[in-house]
Amino acid sequence: MQAEPKNSLVGEEYEVEVGPVAHGGHCIARTAEGRVLFVRHTLPGEKIVARVTEGDESSRFLRADAVTVLEPAKDRVTAPCPYAGPGRCGGCDWQHAKPGAQRRLKGEVIAEQLQRLAGLTPEEAGWDGTVMPAEGDKLPAGEVPQWRTRVQYAVDAESGRAGLRRHRSHEIEPVDHCMIAAPGVDELGIEQRGWSGMESIEAIAATGSQDRQVILTPRPGARLPIVELDKPVSVMRVGEKDGGVHRVHGRPFVRERADGRTYRVGSGGFWQVHPKAADTLVTAVMQGLLPRKGETALDLYCGVGLFAGAIADRVGDEGAVLGIESSKRAVEDARHNLTAFDRVRIEQGKVESVLPRTGITEVDLIVLDPPRAGAGKSTVSHLAGLGARRIAYVACDPAALARDLGYFREGGYRVRMLRAFDLFPMTHHVECVAILEPAEKGR
């Protein structure tokens, strides 16, 4: 471990009163000298002892953990997971908070980001301020939803044990059981096996089929182990030279189910992690867009075609959908998944490059589900110029969403409705669906 610089404050402890929640799974506090602390493992209103984990005398702010709780908040519970807590597994942020409190905290973060980055109140965004749990996730305090259908394990080089990374660290917390792992992942028994020579293991349990897959990343020069798990499973490996995902045994894809259709997802490609997420988001997007027969639509960052398929179903044979996706394998899967629709086309490449080349000057509907960084000003400006009557923006990061909503407002669009879903329980992540329309149609 590297020595801390001489002016490092790591290890220093401060007794503080905790202020509001902030984006990223922590709360804000200030020391008596006015230093800003971003503190994990605490809740607003608590009085705690915070121990600095990152930062020095010159830092704008310090990162810290709550190591002693002097006055707990009413929403605090004992973390159900034995691996949660300061210096332990970084997978969850809010194990110490009641489930309803977690959703309120996420709602406060969304509201703060909307106000700060887009200048919008919840009312102006058409949002009632609530974050809805997924079906079946409304559990009593102390119980944890088993929702994570894809788990990325890291492997300790010395012991060969699978574990999860600690917060903002390459260090590994060996685990015997991940409480938020879906039953289909849990039943594989990854944590009970030795994985010498492996750097990481991704375990995937499909929703709507019995498909199970593990993707192994060997350390340089290591040989693959014989994979014998507790359930039938396909095995893939990440190539040392090309970084590609290659089939070792079984199917090179898993079959996922959503909106009454089956979707092939290959090579560990993107699919929503919560088993209820795909259907939840399709329903929200379709209720917002209300597609009509014969309309034209864009599905940007389309992945394996989830939203393109849903829209194509609803616009019918006279309608048309263009999907754009950068991943070559995802494009192959999307084309396979949507072969039943003659009027669906999938193009490969980055949205900002492909969209201008299409020559499209107008469209009825747009859905975009960009990566965590958002779509960005130039892409939003282009979209705002296409005259869509409705736009659905699916976002896993409220800060990126708020920034892009500000750009859409500059382009003449207003938010008609926003909905928020807790599709990542115990973590700080939250999924939002914003529905936009031309401002002249507004109030």
Side-chain angles (χ1 to χ4, degrees), residues 47 99 140 148 349:
K47 191 171 184 179
R148 196 166 190 94

Side-chain angles (χ1 to χ4, degrees), residues 130-145:
T130 62
V131 176
M132 297 296 296
E135 180 187 340
D137 277 2
K138 207 163 185 180
L139 299 175
E143 294 187 29
V144 176

Side-chain angles (χ1 to χ4, degrees), residues 332-350:
E332 292 172 2
D333 287 337
R335 288 170 178 164
H336 169 86
N337 294 332
L338 304 175
T339 49
F341 300 107
D342 293 335
R343 303 265 291 165
V344 173
R345 191 168 97 248
I346 308 294
E347 296 287 346
Q348 189 209 336
K350 293 185 176 180

Side-chain angles (χ1 to χ4, degrees), residues 120-341:
L120 292 171
T121 64
E123 293 75 19
E124 289 168 333
W127 177 45
D128 64 5
T130 62
V131 176
M132 297 296 296
E135 180 187 340
D137 277 2
K138 207 163 185 180
L139 299 175
E143 294 187 29
V144 176
Q146 293 178 272
W147 60 271
R148 196 166 190 94
T149 61
R150 292 167 180 242
V151 178
Q152 182 83 38
Y153 296 93
V155 179
D156 182 77
E158 292 183 11
S159 68
R161 285 192 64 191
L164 301 168
R165 299 226 182 253
R166 292 170 182 152
H167 182 62
R168 293 176 62 84
S169 171
H170 292 293
E171 294 179 358
I172 297 168
E173 180 78 19
V175 299
D176 295 318
H177 169 64
C178 175
M179 293 189 75
I180 64 172
V185 169
D186 199 34
E187 68 187 14
L188 292 176
I190 299 285
E191 301 98 333
Q192 280 70 53
R193 298 290 190 277
W195 298 97
S196 294
M198 296 301 102
E199 190 170 280
S200 66
I201 307 149
E202 183 177 7
I204 299 170
T207 300
S209 78
Q210 291 300 308
D211 292 350
R212 305 287 182 264
Q213 187 177 84
V214 294
I215 302 173
L216 305 177
T217 303
R219 296 184 188 280
R223 297 182 63 179
L224 280 188
I226 295 173
V227 179
E228 293 180 343
L229 294 172
D230 296 345
K231 293 287 180 178
V233 65
S234 297
V235 179
M236 309 286 285
R237 72 168 290 165
V238 176
E240 186 178 329
K241 293 181 179 178
D242 63 1
V245 181
H246 306 282
R247 187 179 78 90
V248 176
H249 168 77
R251 290 192 186 97
F253 58 84
V254 296
R255 294 163 297 178
E256 302 280 3
R257 188 87 181 155
D259 194 41
R261 306 187 64 79
T262 297
Y263 288 85
R264 185 182 82 183
V265 185
S267 301
F270 176 77
W271 186 260
Q272 291 289 340
V273 178
H274 194 295
K276 300 290 185 182
D279 276 325
T280 297
L281 295 174
V282 166
T283 298
V285 167
M286 295 304 111
Q287 287 176 347
L289 292 180
L290 296 174
R292 303 166 186 163
K293 296 293 184 184
E295 287 193 312
T296 58
L298 292 174
D299 180 6
L300 307 179
Y301 318 92
C302 71
V304 299
L306 173 64
F307 296 118
I311 295 172
D313 259 340
R314 291 156 176 83
V315 299
D317 294 340
E318 300 302 312
V321 182
L322 171 66
I324 300 176
E325 166 59 40
S326 61
S327 164
K328 183 179 179 182
R329 179 59 202 250
V331 167
E332 292 172 2
D333 287 337
R335 288 170 178 164
H336 169 86
N337 294 332
L338 304 175
T339 49
F341 300 107

